[in-house]
Amino acid sequence: QQAMITTYCEFPVTEEDRINEESAVSKLVCADELGNIFMLLLKSEGVSNSTLSSGAKDLSLQLHHLGVCSYPSTIVAISANKAYIGSSLGSPQLLSFDLQGGVTTLDNNLDPALSRNFQVVQTMENLGPVVDFSLKDLERDGQCDILTCSGQDKDSSLKLFRKGIRLETEAELPMPDLRAMWSLKYNISHEYYKYIVMSFIAGSRLLKFEGHSLEEAEWPGLDSMASSIYAANLVGHNGAVQVTNSAAIFIDFDKNFQSTARWTPESIGVQITSAESNGSQVILTIDGCKLLALELSTDGNSWTLLGQTDFKNEISACSSNAQVCAVGLWNELSIILLRVPDLLQILVYPLGGDIIPRSLLLTKLEGLDYLLCGLGDGNLVCFQLNTQSAEAEEEEKMEVSTLTDTTNVPSQSDQKKKELMVKRSTIPLGRQPVKLNFFKLRGKEHIFAITDISTVIFSMNNKLHPSAVDMPDISFMTPFHTEDFPDCIAVQAKSTFRIGSFNDIYEMLITSIPQYEQVRRV
């Protein structure tokens, strides 16, 4: 099919392009209105340099077909073998031409269905021209997606636009049967992480970042035969705590990574079901219904019990900071705030509805205290937390004893609840239970919410914003900011351990589905 040349660009001439010393070559890459790319060679005999002149003789032209690209609007030479193809009717492309051995090796066949003499290095998505579009909640998570009919003829496609964040994989390692993981620093005051504790059904493993590689390591004090349920650094101690179903173990890094303090439940057969730490105290859940607060002695040789409380129902979620501890219970649709470290009750806040809190996180974003509650239906409930009001109320309630049955808790006034937990909002994330993790990106606090559509929560102008992650099936996440992998996180996705980084926390994710013919309605 004949077509008209619409654009062209002159390319630099290399030594390989010159046939002999008495010839000169000029290269023009041109494209027609159908997307065919050609290379036009202008040769002349009797010229000793690479520039054609009026005195040239025996001028000849050769036309070589390179292949088919997007409908071109402009061509820009990037180097001797790379070109940018701008397109207003399709997606712009960066092409790398196969010119090894000079232009005389090019295929001269004009059939577009045959092999082409270039590779598409990068395709840049172009929204226009838009023939039709529709607004849809395709994931049924409350976020609006834009579905468009874009492009023309062979460059026509369906494009799905969704705000989100792209997780770029820096390194990966097959890691089946991983149940959980936690990143550790050599000292909690250090900037970079150095270790990752991994929990499996049959035990625990330790990975160490040494030099430019991640390798397996061993600590004498680490209980590698038991599955870990929590691990973290502690403030004021150069070491880490490992919590298993049977014990809380402190591993002192200054004493050859030996175990120097060990706490076990007093009753036989009693198990530790979950654990949490605020950096100074370790909060343990015993047999699902009892909450304990432990603190390590200054010398790191013993644990001290600071407070405990019992609940009628099992604990479904727990989070703690230096002032308060938030607890969610199974079969009770409320959040309970306790004072740290004695675990005396401050407040019971009914959530309403019929969904149980599955994950809680007390954190600070842009200088404001937040309590985030991940529900079992994929929604995230956010509260601003007034911790000063919580402390003031507890000082007025010195007669409050340890909580034994939350159904008989004295009711607080609505005014008190508004003073403690303010500005409630709900962010729909997905359809599966939400697990919350804290991490920092370029020095700014962020929240990683794991669900069927994992999402990064960040604060901008004191308002929380969600940004969906484009990597599916993430089951675990932990921060992993190291010297060679700055601002990275470690995730477990589809039985693979990955270290990934974010280029931009808030961008437009585009999924293109080529149709190869004109799409007119959606």
Side-chain angles (χ1 to χ4, degrees):
Q1 183 179 358
Q2 294 184 351
M4 182 174 61
I5 298 295
T6 57
T7 183
Y8 70 92
C9 179
E10 185 173 1
F11 268 57
V13 178
T14 64
E15 290 298 326
E16 293 181 346
D17 297 330
R18 303 181 63 184
I19 299 175
N20 53 58
E21 294 182 356
E22 296 183 354
S23 68
V25 176
S26 285
K27 295 192 301 184
L28 295 177
V29 173
C30 51
D32 64 19
E33 56 189 350
L34 298 180
N36 293 299
I37 301 181
F38 304 91
M39 180 167 287
L40 180 63
L41 303 181
L42 289 79
K43 300 182 180 180
S44 68
E45 299 294 334
V47 181
S48 59
N49 54 44
S50 60
T51 304
L52 293 175
S53 64
S54 58
K57 57 184 179 179
D58 298 330
L59 186 64
S60 64
L61 298 176
Q62 291 185 7
L63 185 66
H64 298 271
H65 182 253
L66 302 181
V68 180
C69 66
S70 298
Y71 286 130
S73 300
T74 185
I75 301 176
V76 178
I78 305 299
S79 64
N81 66 334
K82 286 186 173 62
Y84 170 80
I85 308 297
S87 177
S88 59
L89 302 178
S91 295
Q93 295 175 318
L94 179 62
L95 306 183
S96 176
F97 298 108
D98 185 11
L99 302 179
Q100 292 184 357
V103 295
T104 57
T105 63
L106 293 175
D107 183 7
N108 197 31
N109 198 311
L110 295 180
D111 187 354
L114 298 181
S115 60
R116 59 191 181 187
N117 291 280
F118 64 82
Q119 291 182 346
V120 179
V121 178
Q122 183 180 0
T123 298
M124 289 138 278
E125 298 292 347
N126 179 22
L127 176 60
V130 177
V131 181
D132 191 23
F133 77 96
S134 178
L135 301 179
K136 301 289 184 181
D137 184 7
L138 299 178
E139 300 292 344
R140 297 182 181 179
D141 58 357
Q143 298 189 39
C144 183
D145 305 322
I146 303 175
L147 186 63
T148 68
C149 298
S150 298
Q152 179 175 305
D153 297 333
K154 72 176 183 62
D155 290 338
S156 184
S157 63
L158 292 175
K159 294 186 185 294
L160 176 64
F161 292 79
R162 181 183 181 87
K163 63 180 181 180
I165 181 172
R166 195 176 304 279
L167 182 60
E168 302 290 346
T169 300
E170 304 288 344
E172 62 181 16
L173 182 68
M175 197 71 66
D177 303 324
L178 180 63
R179 299 181 62 186
M181 59 183 175
W182 304 267
S183 54
L184 301 175
K185 302 177 181 180
Y186 185 80
N187 187 286
I188 196 171
S189 62
H190 290 178
E191 179 183 358
Y192 298 117
Y193 290 95
K194 190 172 184 179
Y195 307 99
I196 294 182
V197 176
M198 294 183 167
S199 178
F200 299 86
I201 297 177
S204 300
R205 293 172 58 186
L206 178 69
L207 294 182
K208 177 183 178 181
F209 190 79
E210 188 70 33
H212 301 284
S213 62
L214 197 62
E215 56 188 31
E216 192 165 359
E218 292 184 0
W219 289 345
L222 183 72
D223 190 352
S224 59
M225 302 302 295
S227 179
S228 299
I229 61 174
Y230 187 73
N233 293 106
L234 293 180
V235 176
H237 299 277
N238 193 23
V241 59
Q242 177 199 15
V243 181
T244 67
N245 290 121
S246 59
I249 307 165
F250 177 70
I251 303 167
D252 196 328
F253 295 168
D254 292 332
K255 296 182 180 179
N256 198 26
F257 299 96
Q258 297 285 345
S259 171
T260 59
R262 186 182 185 94
W263 183 92
T264 57
E266 297 178 355
S267 302
I268 299 177
V270 174
Q271 284 193 337
I272 304 172
T273 53
S274 66
E276 176 66 29
S277 174
N278 56 24
S280 299
Q281 293 87 27
V282 178
I283 310 297
L284 303 180
T285 302
I286 308 298
D287 272 356
C289 297
K290 177 181 286 188
L291 205 64
L292 302 179
L294 301 178
E295 188 173 66
L296 190 66
S297 61
T298 304
D299 57 10
N301 294 327
S302 62
W303 292 99
T304 302
L305 179 63
L306 301 180
Q308 64 179 353
T309 185
D310 295 309
F311 298 95
K312 182 178 180 180
N313 296 307
E314 290 189 359
I315 297 172
S316 62
C318 179
S319 180
S320 173
N321 60 22
Q323 296 171 313
V324 295
C325 176
V327 178
L329 302 178
W330 293 97
N331 302 324
E332 187 168 329
L333 309 177
S334 61
I335 297 176
I336 302 172
L337 293 185
L338 308 175
R339 189 176 67 180
V340 173
D342 52 14
L343 301 182
L344 294 181
Q345 178 203 336
I346 299 174
L347 171 71
V348 177
Y349 190 100
L351 287 174
D354 56 357
I355 307 300
I356 297 172
R358 299 295 299 272
S359 180
L360 294 172
L361 182 63
L362 288 161
T363 187
K364 188 183 291 289
L365 301 174
E366 288 193 316
L368 298 178
D369 291 299
Y370 285 92
L371 171 59
L372 306 180
C373 176
L375 300 181
D377 61 353
N379 286 317
L380 179 68
V381 182
C382 310
F383 300 92
Q384 278 192 27
L385 187 63
N386 189 347
T387 54
Q388 294 181 351
S389 179
E391 292 177 346
E393 181 174 348
E394 185 55 35
E395 290 176 359
E396 297 174 0
K397 296 171 56 180
M398 298 301 295
E399 73 279 1
V400 175
S401 59
T402 301
L403 179 63
T404 56
D405 186 352
T406 59
T407 59
N408 298 322
V409 174
S411 61
Q412 295 87 9
S413 66
D414 291 339
Q415 182 62 32
K416 287 293 185 182
K417 295 176 182 178
K418 291 179 180 179
E419 291 177 357
L420 297 178
M421 301 171 69
V422 298
K423 293 186 179 180
R424 171 173 174 166
S425 60
T426 301
I427 302 175
L429 301 180
R431 298 181 294 273
Q432 300 297 324
V434 179
K435 292 188 292 184
L436 300 172
N437 296 273
F438 174 86
F439 73 102
K440 283 189 175 183
L441 181 62
R442 302 179 184 93
K444 188 177 180 180
E445 300 84 359
H446 294 78
I447 309 301
F448 198 98
I450 299 175
T451 179
D452 54 326
I453 305 175
S454 295
T455 305
V456 172
I457 309 296
F458 63 98
S459 178
M460 181 183 297
N461 299 324
N462 293 330
K463 184 178 180 181
L464 299 183
H465 299 270
S467 187
V469 180
D470 69 340
M471 183 176 292
D473 301 324
I474 296 178
S475 52
F476 303 105
M477 173 270 171
T478 186
F480 197 61
H481 173 58
T482 65
E483 191 170 0
D484 287 339
F485 294 102
D487 295 315
C488 284
I489 63 172
V491 299
Q492 174 78 353
K494 294 183 178 179
S495 300
T496 302
F497 170 79
R498 289 185 172 92
I499 296 177
S501 61
F502 298 118
N503 291 330
D504 194 352
I505 203 66
Y506 194 79
E507 60 181 317
M508 186 66 70
L509 301 180
I510 304 175
T511 302
S512 183
I513 307 172
Q515 300 299 305
Y516 305 108
E517 59 180 346
Q518 186 64 57
V519 181
R520 299 190 180 278
R521 293 291 181 269
V522 60

